[in-house]
Amino acid sequence: MNCRKLAVKILNRVLDEGAYSNLILSNELNECDLSDKDKALLTELVYGVLRRKKTLDIIISNFVKDIKLMDKTILNILRVAIYQMNFLDKVPAYAACNEAVEEAKEISENDSKLVNGILRNFSKNPDDIEVQGNKIDEYAYKFSFEPWMIRLLFKQYGEQQGKKIMSGLNYVPKVSVRVNALKADYDEVFEELEKMEYEIEEGVVCPEAICIKGGKSIENNPLFNEGKITVQDESAMVIAPLLELEDKMKVLDLCAAPGGKTTHISEILNNTGEVYSFDLHTSKLNLIKENCERLGITNVKVAENDATKLNSDLVSAFDRVLIDVPCSGIGIIRKKPEIKWNKRRNDLKEIVSIQRKIMENAWQYLKPGGIMIYSTCTLNKEENEENIEYFLEKHRDSEAKRAFIGKQDNLVYNKDGSLTIMPNEYMDGFFVAKLQKK
């Protein structure tokens, strides 16, 4: 199967069946016998279409009466073709058009004529696309976001910052890795990666981060297999150091899978003390265990636990507690662009009560004098600053501490001491607050 046809198959799964883009794409990449160049094109097509779906659909709507009535596979064939014609220089327009027409023929002769007509008309006048509606609809076309999400960002951050956030979320993410101090020295790993012909640079904020700008996949890399490095976004890497960890501490990571922050905590503790790593989903616990084994970590206890229900065995048991709570995920759209299309405004409201339950329980698990970190990978202030404000008002024994990690253009320090990380090509959108128990 060629990469364009495979892209359509994956898009059908993600957009119509709710599959996760990162999981299904990595499965297909492992199983298909495409060249490295075609694998790169497949990745570009899948993520590109997911990232720009709104823009593509507005283009297609210029040539059909009602896009909602179209066959879903035909629609994805058109999206892939128009993405190539509009956003990729390396694919000639006639090639993208011919391939799409051939694919549509497998469905029906009429469909292939429809595809042919739309693509030829579009290629004649690609700049004559009409956007129906108001200014928000024009931004929806330009940045490819749903109008409700644009309104939310503008309301919470203002128009200028809102546009910057959308641009940041449309970046193709760079891969960053964390050097595991238990097994390796930063400079040695850096040199090794250079020898392996990776194009790399030092991390932006974290001293243990290396940013990989080009080279082969990192998952089959010997340094990865030996546990000297692990893949983690720099936004997630800033969390564990903010806990002010000291050797032999007892630490709880309450929503831990797949274990990136758990293992980082253990590395900072030099494998001393105890780290309790909990998650609601039993299926994900093995991921945490596998990561610990690969990284040579021995001080972690992994168990299934529902963070929204109080576990009386854990009350006042921990020096430090981390809650990286379930959230709407708006900050990680660079990596999972389908979040743009599968979230609804209501989902954001519903998750707040879950987050607050988790905060209440986590606070009870913390010893007096201890530190709790609350983090999310969203930029929705209802799940971030508003939750912290609610919590501080309710708990007189809580005090906000400053979550400071340095100065960068994309780091915003809020009045309450919390930190919002704005998305850019190096970092996901993230929020972190640091609370101490008096």
Side-chain angles (χ1 to χ4, degrees), residues 1-19:
M1 196 183 277
N2 71 26
C3 58
R4 292 172 187 85
K5 208 166 166 183
L6 203 46
V8 171
K9 178 186 156 186
I10 294 170
L11 289 164
N12 282 341
R13 293 282 316 276
V14 175
L15 293 170
D16 305 321
E17 296 171 29

Side-chain angles (χ1 to χ4, degrees), residues 171-362:
Y171 271 112
V172 176
K174 303 260 192 295
V175 175
S176 55
V177 296
R178 187 181 84 225
V179 176
N180 175 10
L182 297 175
K183 283 194 170 191
D185 172 76
Y186 185 93
D187 293 331
E188 283 168 21
V189 170
F190 201 92
E191 280 169 29
E192 282 286 311
L193 286 169
E194 281 186 324
K195 271 186 207 147
M196 295 172 185
E197 296 183 352
Y198 284 91
E199 191 191 335
I200 55 173
E201 59 189 20
E202 288 179 15
V204 193
V205 182
C206 302
E208 55 273 74
I210 296 175
C211 172
I212 296 179
K213 296 165 80 177
K216 299 179 290 298
S217 154
I218 205 78
E219 264 84 357
N220 308 321
N221 180 297
L223 292 170
F224 179 85
N225 294 332
E226 291 159 18
K228 291 179 176 175
I229 55 173
T230 199
V231 177
Q232 190 179 34
D233 192 85
E234 268 200 76
S235 294
M237 245 181 259
V238 309
I239 305 296
L242 284 169
L243 283 162
E244 297 182 25
L245 297 161
E246 292 164 25
D247 283 7
K248 300 199 173 117
M249 274 184 172
K250 195 169 174 183
V251 184
L252 172 62
D253 184 355
L254 202 49
C255 315
K261 298 180 192 73
T262 287
T263 53
H264 198 188
I265 290 167
S266 291
E267 287 165 24
I268 297 170
L269 288 172
N270 298 308
N271 246 341
T272 66
E274 291 177 300
V275 183
Y276 285 68
S277 184
F278 290 159
D279 205 84
L280 174 60
H281 304 285
T282 326
S283 56
K284 292 182 179 174
L285 298 179
N286 279 336
L287 272 175
I288 304 175
K289 288 176 188 162
E290 282 163 22
N291 275 323
C292 289
E293 269 169 43
R294 185 175 57 79
L295 297 165
I297 283 166
T298 51
N299 64 345
V300 171
K301 294 181 164 62
V302 179
E304 182 190 339
N305 182 75
D306 183 346
T308 62
K309 296 189 170 76
L310 186 70
N311 182 335
S312 54
D313 299 342
L314 305 175
V315 172
S316 302
F318 295 95
D319 302 298
R320 301 286 185 265
V321 175
L322 165 62
I323 42 172
D324 186 48
V325 294
C327 70
S328 58
I330 289 170
I332 53 171
I333 282 173
R334 296 182 322 151
K335 295 203 178 79
K336 296 180 181 168
E338 67 270 23
I339 288 171
K340 288 182 180 189
W341 322 119
N342 62 22
K343 283 280 180 267
R344 300 283 168 269
R345 180 69 182 94
N346 252 6
D347 301 339
L348 275 61
K349 288 190 161 57
E350 284 165 10
I351 200 144
V352 169
S353 64
I354 294 171
Q355 292 162 342
R356 290 183 177 183
K357 273 183 196 155
I358 294 173
M359 290 173 88
E360 292 295 334
N361 295 336

